Amino acid sequence: MYTVGFQYWLHSSGYVTPRDFIISARLSCRIESSALYSAYELMSACVIYRQLARRGHVAQCYKDVLLARKLHRALCDPEAEADEQQKETEAAVHPGVYRLHYNPTLYRRPKKESDAAAIKAKIDEDAQGFIVATPSFRQQSNHYSVSSSRRLSSTKNKLLDLAFNKASEDRTPPRSFDNREAQPSEDDPYKPDPRAFQRCRPEYASTTLDLSQRPPAIRSERALQLLHKASVLKGSLKAADVAEFLRELGHLQPEQTSLARSDTRFIMLLRYSVENLRQFSHAQLLQVLESFVWLALSPAHSILGQFESELIQRAPQMSLPQLLLAADLWRCLKKPVPQFLQQLYDSVELQHMGVAELVQLVYIMGEGRHCPKDLVGRIETILLRHLDKLEPEEVGTVCLGLFKSQTSLSERAVACLVDKAHSVVGEMTDFAMVNVMKLLRFSHLDHKVWLEVMAQEVPRRVPGMGVMGLMHVTLACSALHYRSDAILMSVAERLPSLAQQCRSKDSCKLLWSFGTLGIPPSQCPDLYSSLVAAMRQRKAEFEHYPEHLLTGLLGLAFVEQFPEDLLALALSPEFVSQALKKTQLELSKDLFTLDGTVGLELPHWTGPRLAVRPREEAAKMLWRYAQTDICQKPEVLEAERLLQDLLGGRQFVCKRMILPHTRSIDLLVHLDPAGIPLPVNVSLETAIIPEKSLSTSHAHKKLLAMVGVRLTEDLLTQMVSSKKDMEPSGLSHQSSPPALLRLEADEGVNQMRVESELATTMPRMLTDTPTKLNKTMVKLAIQVSNRNHYCYQSEQLMGLHALKRRQLHLAGYRVVELNHWEWFPLLRKRQAEKLAYLHCKIYGSMD
């Protein structure tokens, strides 16, 4: 235990490291052996050192530290002291050589094999000659600081401090170019090379860095010589020297680059590169950046920010190949540089751009996830000009770049690009083919010829494709509403064997795709079970990506599959709170749909449910959207108007979202068992059967208005005379009230026929009165569908609309659908034909 006098001695002397305190403590206590240090000694030394550091005594007492070390070695290890004197003599002869002396006898012997292995690795590392930076406690806040006797001017030091000593620097690597599209796992056989197109032409050599052609490796001894030379030259280093040193160091073998990066002399060399940044030529600047790629410099390294700023300033003076090469180097470093890319786009002159430069530009746009709007038109023009010259792999790269950058070309340009892909599809790699599918998915273009070819190509290629490729193919099919059993069944047969390789994103999007296209579990029983098992294995990933879980569960709900453990997770308060924080994804709609589905389809459910407030907010949001979009569509407005005319007024037709969680509207109609309309709008509720006090002509007008027939004097006279010839009590007590005339939907129906038949049936409707009415009400949900509700060129409902149809039945509604292939052509017909069609549809549902 330290005495008060010893602590005061330490306070007056000051030491650089806790180890020096321990050495001095043992000297003061006359302990002349190399026994192990106690934890108490180490802890006490740390505390006292911090006190001294705050008071500024450390630098003043460094001589005492050296003296204490020398005395300790003289007492405990005379041979080590002799070696130290010899090294000091050598250092005097060779000034400027940085050395880190290591004596393993001064440290505790490891008790575990793992500790021994770690120390052995450390000794081997030091034996290679690399000087690893071990900053003192005061330097640990800055990973890139170097203790050096070299003195720089105050101005230069300020510049370097800005580059290396940012207190607010984020130590976590920034989001790289690839984070939005995670790379396949190591055991995934589908490992495409997105840069393979750069080997299609020799012109790419001037605009890209070929990562497959690493420069010839140098030995570690050569790297040590370079670092030693750089440390000796110090202030006499010129920009060309720094660039050359870094270029040669970039030739190190990959497994040795980490040692070089941690060497203090290399860190000092980086400082010299910042100091000489403006003296570099364009070629030297790009050469240094390339060396950073081979040395695997972290994208979080602050020095890269200095290089980015310099390149931004030089962009207007650089040529297009140099700008594209710089952008490609940033891509290889995985550092996002949006400001530099904007300078690149601003400097582009498309008139003289070649094929290789165009493809590389689109590739950079895709990796940067952005394309300026003013550049889209020019890109499209030159793309169409060079389209016939593109190689198959370049076609795939262009499609991928447009997809990733969310660049919307005209429909004509996309069609021409896919035509080109179709002409060379046999020479395309799987990766290029998948990229074409991605572009079609983004553009929502149903290129029929390409899709027909995919029905042949995909089954042939599936055995050699991996999870990500299969996922993107099926996802594109679902986005295009293209159900091809040839494609889907071949993928479904392949996936169970690859389920273990699925990320949460893959399994959930695959479930969404198959569910959206209405592939039932009975058709591919192993598919759904294996993907659900993969979801359970990756359950931890849903904490960071809640949208994936909701996507997968909705896909399962489309085909009536409800894994209750995953549903309980998705509806738990903790998960809901986390999901709602991702406001940019609007996950509240997915949660609302999932919760409503559980409420209707799982009556035994006792698990968590969505709270009232998020349900109400989601319903309001969906209704606001419906009012501004769906409710204003011409086919919906026309159906609503004609139904009001047919049934007798606005009070008998209500336009609303019967099941808000299904995200679409219906026209709600209530009928009694006899087919008489009942009001659904409470505020406008009136009786449909005319009162006895109404005049005959008024009653005729009201009923005729229900079917939209023009009332003429001849028709009115005919109807009244027919009424007088009938027995007034004949049918009123012996038969149920007649329903409205049921006319077959026939495009040849004409106004004369409608008026003739109405003149015969209307008098009976006016005179008949029901003796008793069944209190059971028939609720009709009239849906005006469009082609987006169905699979491409098919009558197969898409997943969400099939789910809605099923849940409306569960809720007690009869679904009446106005099919788009029937209703849309009728919109151009006469009103009588449309009324006859609606009449047939409504009352046909009563049978």
Side-chain angles (χ1 to χ4, degrees):
M1 182 179 295
Y2 295 118
T3 62
V4 175
F6 175 62
Q7 292 184 10
Y8 176 78
W9 181 79
L10 287 175
H11 176 80
S12 62
S13 299
Y15 295 94
V16 175
T17 64
R19 176 168 167 266
D20 296 323
F21 285 105
I22 298 170
I23 295 171
S24 301
R26 294 196 176 279
L27 288 173
S28 65
C29 295
R30 297 179 181 179
I31 301 176
E32 299 180 0
S33 67
S34 58
L36 304 180
Y37 306 139
S38 67
Y40 180 81
E41 290 173 329
L42 180 61
M43 183 169 56
S44 301
C46 293
V47 171
I48 298 172
Y49 173 76
R50 292 192 185 98
Q51 293 178 355
L52 294 177
R54 285 197 295 268
R55 299 180 185 180
H57 293 300
V58 175
Q60 300 174 7
C61 303
Y62 189 75
K63 292 182 180 180
D64 291 344
V65 175
L66 299 178
L67 182 60
R69 285 178 173 175
K70 190 171 184 179
L71 181 58
H72 177 75
R73 282 192 296 267
L75 292 173
C76 301
D77 194 350
E79 295 181 1
E81 173 62 16
D83 292 340
E84 180 65 22
Q85 290 179 358
Q86 181 179 357
K87 291 175 182 178
E88 288 178 358
T89 304
E90 293 175 357
V93 178
H94 302 286
V97 178
Y98 293 76
R99 297 183 182 276
L100 180 66
H101 303 296
Y102 179 76
N103 188 355
T105 62
L106 297 179
Y107 291 84
R108 176 181 301 183
R109 294 182 180 179
K111 296 182 180 180
K112 298 181 180 179
E113 293 182 3
S114 59
D115 296 337
I119 291 181
K120 183 179 183 302
K122 179 67 178 175
I123 296 173
D124 293 341
E125 177 183 304
D126 289 342
Q128 293 182 11
F130 290 100
I131 301 177
V132 181
T134 54
S136 64
F137 286 116
R138 294 186 68 182
Q139 295 173 327
Q140 285 182 358
S141 62
N142 181 3
H143 294 192
Y144 307 112
S145 295
V146 180
S147 298
S148 171
S149 61
R150 180 175 179 270
R151 293 290 180 263
L152 300 174
S153 67
S154 59
T155 304
K156 292 178 180 178
N157 270 322
K158 288 179 181 179
L159 290 174
L160 298 181
D161 287 342
L162 289 175
F164 289 90
N165 300 329
K166 294 180 180 179
S168 61
E169 181 181 0
D170 184 6
R171 294 301 174 192
T172 59
R175 185 179 67 187
S176 67
F177 282 91
D178 282 343
N179 278 6
R180 297 189 190 182
E181 191 70 54
Q183 293 299 311
S185 59
E186 290 298 325
D187 54 351
D188 190 344
Y190 180 67
K191 293 182 180 180
D193 181 8
R195 300 168 65 86
F197 73 97
Q198 296 173 354
R199 295 189 286 273
C200 291
R201 303 173 187 271
E203 291 88 343
Y204 285 110
S206 61
T207 60
T208 65
L209 176 63
D210 190 352
L211 295 177
S212 64
Q213 298 294 326
R214 194 175 182 90
I218 61 173
R219 300 177 62 85
S220 58
E221 291 79 2
R222 175 56 181 165
L224 291 172
Q225 292 175 2
L226 293 170
L227 292 174
H228 173 70
K229 187 175 181 180
S231 64
V232 171
L233 291 176
K234 294 185 178 180
S236 60
L237 279 174
K238 297 181 181 180
D241 300 328
V242 175
E244 181 60 22
F245 285 157
L246 289 172
R247 185 193 68 80
E248 286 199 54
L249 287 173
H251 290 215
L252 268 172
Q253 296 179 359
E255 58 272 14
Q256 293 179 330
T257 56
S258 60
L259 293 175
R261 291 196 306 269
S262 59
D263 193 292
T264 58
R265 295 166 296 185
F266 175 76
I267 300 173
M268 184 177 60
L269 190 59
L270 294 182
R271 295 175 69 95
Y272 296 153
S273 70
V274 174
E275 181 182 352
N276 291 278
L277 196 55
R278 296 186 179 180
Q279 280 70 49
F280 287 136
S281 65
H282 295 340
Q284 289 171 344
L285 191 62
L286 295 174
Q287 178 181 307
V288 171
L289 209 58
E290 179 180 339
S291 70
F292 292 162
V293 174
W294 298 124
L295 288 166
L297 207 64
S298 168
H301 204 300
S302 56
I303 194 176
L304 297 182
Q306 301 294 313
F307 276 77
E308 180 189 1
S309 300
E310 182 66 22
L311 283 169
I312 290 173
Q313 293 180 4
R314 297 191 186 196
Q317 292 81 41
M318 297 174 72
S319 65
L320 179 59
Q322 288 176 329
L323 289 171
L324 291 173
L325 176 58
D328 195 59
L329 293 172
W330 288 123
R331 169 68 191 86
C332 296
L333 286 166
K334 298 184 179 180
K335 178 176 174 59
V337 285
Q339 295 180 348
F340 173 76
L341 292 183
Q342 187 60 49
Q343 287 290 329
L344 166 63
Y345 302 145
D346 293 342
S347 305
V348 166
E349 293 292 339
L350 295 177
Q351 290 78 8
H352 307 292
M353 182 177 287
V355 177
E357 294 169 333
L358 171 66
V359 176
Q360 179 65 16
L361 177 63
V362 177
Y363 168 75
I364 291 298
M365 283 166 33
E367 300 309 304
R369 303 307 200 274
H370 174 66
C371 175
K373 292 182 179 179
D374 58 347
L375 194 61
V376 175
R378 292 182 288 165
I379 289 285
E380 179 176 323
T381 301
I382 195 168
L383 177 61
L384 293 176
R385 186 190 310 164
H386 292 311
L387 191 58
D388 293 337
K389 304 175 186 176
L390 294 180
E391 297 291 335
E393 205 64 24
E394 291 175 323
V395 174
T397 299
V398 169
C399 291
L400 182 62
L402 295 173
F403 168 76
K404 284 187 173 182
S405 62
Q406 302 290 283
T407 302
S408 298
L409 300 184
S410 66
E411 186 173 325
R412 170 180 168 270
V414 176
C416 291
L417 185 57
V418 180
D419 287 340
K420 172 65 178 179
H422 174 260
S423 66
V424 295
V425 65
E427 306 171 43
M428 278 184 160
T429 62
D430 297 343
F431 180 65
M433 183 190 73
V434 169
N435 291 339
V436 178
M437 295 292 286
K438 288 182 180 181
L439 180 63
L440 289 175
R441 165 185 149 201
F442 167 69
S443 304
H444 292 283
L445 179 66
D446 50 347
H447 195 286
K448 186 176 180 180
V449 178
W450 172 265
L451 293 176
E452 290 174 350
V453 170
M454 289 299 98
Q456 301 173 2
E457 285 290 325
V458 172
R460 181 176 65 84
R461 296 173 183 243
V462 156
M465 296 176 66
V467 171
M468 288 183 65
L470 298 176
M471 182 269 289
H472 283 297
V473 168
T474 55
L475 190 61
C477 288
S478 67
L480 297 172
H481 299 187
Y482 182 67
R483 175 170 172 165
S484 168
D485 285 355
I487 294 176
L488 297 174
M489 290 303 100
S490 63
V491 173
E493 292 174 4
R494 169 73 170 153
L495 279 174
S497 61
L498 301 177
Q500 298 296 324
Q501 302 172 14
C502 286
R503 304 167 298 171
S504 61
K505 175 181 179 179
D506 298 324
S507 58
C508 293
K509 289 194 173 183
L510 283 165
L511 287 170
W512 166 271
S513 301
F514 280 91
T516 297
L517 294 172
I519 304 297
S522 59
Q523 196 169 349
C524 42
D526 295 336
L527 172 69
Y528 287 95
S529 60
S530 61
L531 292 179
V532 170
M535 287 179 66
R536 291 191 174 103
Q537 289 180 350
R538 303 277 185 166
K539 190 182 295 187
E541 296 181 18
F542 298 138
E543 181 179 351
H544 304 287
Y545 305 103
E547 64 274 16
H548 296 338
L549 176 60
L550 299 180
T551 297
L553 289 177
L554 286 175
L556 288 167
F558 294 159
V559 291
E560 301 183 74
Q561 297 292 301
F562 304 101
E564 296 192 5
D565 57 330
L566 296 178
L567 285 170
L569 171 64
L571 295 176
S572 63
E574 299 80 11
F575 184 89
V576 170
S577 175
Q578 182 181 5
L580 293 179
K581 290 179 182 178
K582 293 199 170 187
T583 54
Q584 73 276 15
L585 298 176
E586 295 185 356
L587 297 182
S588 59
K589 295 188 296 185
D590 292 343
L591 288 167
F592 185 43
T593 301
L594 202 60
D595 179 78
T597 297
V598 168
L600 279 171
E601 304 213 35
L602 298 179
H604 62 281
W605 178 261
T606 58
R609 293 288 303 274
L610 195 62
V612 175
R613 182 175 178 181
R615 281 206 308 262
E616 292 178 347
E617 291 177 351
K620 289 178 181 178
M621 177 177 61
L622 291 169
W623 177 240
R624 284 195 299 267
Y625 169 74
Q627 284 180 309
T628 58
D629 183 74
I630 305 175
C631 293
Q632 304 303 319
K633 292 184 180 297
E635 62 271 18
V636 175
L637 293 174
E638 182 70 358
E640 181 185 21
R641 182 184 68 82
L642 291 173
L643 282 171
Q644 290 173 358
D645 291 344
L646 179 65
L647 300 177
R650 294 176 55 195
Q651 66 270 35
F652 303 109
V653 182
C654 179
K655 181 169 57 180
R656 67 174 212 176
M657 303 176 79
I658 298 176
L659 301 177
H661 66 276
T662 57
R663 312 182 190 185
S664 57
I665 66 164
D666 307 274
L667 299 173
L668 179 59
V669 171
H670 289 171
L671 300 176
D672 71 2
I676 302 299
L678 300 175
V680 291
N681 284 0
V682 178
S683 59
L684 299 175
E685 184 171 333
T686 57
I688 185 171
I689 303 299
E691 299 291 339
K692 293 182 180 179
S693 59
L694 291 176
S695 65
T696 303
S697 62
H698 182 79
H700 282 145
K701 290 179 181 178
K702 187 172 185 64
L703 285 171
L704 289 171
M706 292 165 59
V707 292
V709 177
R710 293 194 307 272
L711 180 62
T712 62
E713 291 297 329
D714 294 338
L715 181 58
L716 183 58
T717 302
Q718 184 181 359
M719 293 173 68
V720 172
S721 62
S722 298
K723 174 180 178 292
K724 290 179 180 179
D725 295 338
M726 296 179 62
E727 288 290 334
S729 58
L731 296 175
S732 59
H733 300 288
Q734 297 178 7
S735 62
S736 60
L740 293 179
L741 178 65
R742 304 187 182 187
L743 301 178
E744 296 297 330
D746 185 359
E747 293 188 3
V749 71
N750 52 56
Q751 181 76 9
M752 184 179 297
R753 177 186 170 194
V754 173
E755 292 176 355
S756 175
E757 297 190 15
L758 283 174
T760 304
T761 58
M762 280 296 181
R764 291 182 56 195
M765 297 176 60
L766 287 169
T767 56
D768 291 344
T769 304
T771 56
K772 60 180 180 179
L773 293 176
N774 191 338
K775 295 183 179 180
T776 304
M777 180 175 58
V778 179
K779 297 183 292 184
L780 301 182
I782 302 173
Q783 298 181 350
V784 182
S785 66
N786 59 60
R787 67 175 186 171
N788 290 330
H789 294 178
Y790 291 87
C791 294
Y792 179 68
Q793 294 184 343
S794 167
E795 295 185 14
Q796 168 70 42
L797 276 171
M798 297 292 288
L800 181 62
H801 304 286
L803 175 140
K804 177 183 178 179
R805 189 76 54 90
R806 187 173 71 240
Q807 293 182 2
L808 282 172
H809 286 298
L810 290 173
Y813 289 87
R814 293 186 185 180
V815 178
V816 177
E817 182 180 10
L818 308 184
N819 300 316
H820 67 278
W821 57 84
E822 296 175 351
W823 180 241
F824 279 57
L826 277 175
L827 294 177
R828 297 187 295 270
K829 303 294 183 178
R830 292 183 301 177
Q831 180 164 305
E833 298 179 49
K834 290 182 279 190
L835 285 168
Y837 173 79
L838 291 175
H839 190 284
C840 180
K841 279 288 184 179
I842 291 174
Y843 289 98
S845 66
M846 299 290 291
D847 293 337

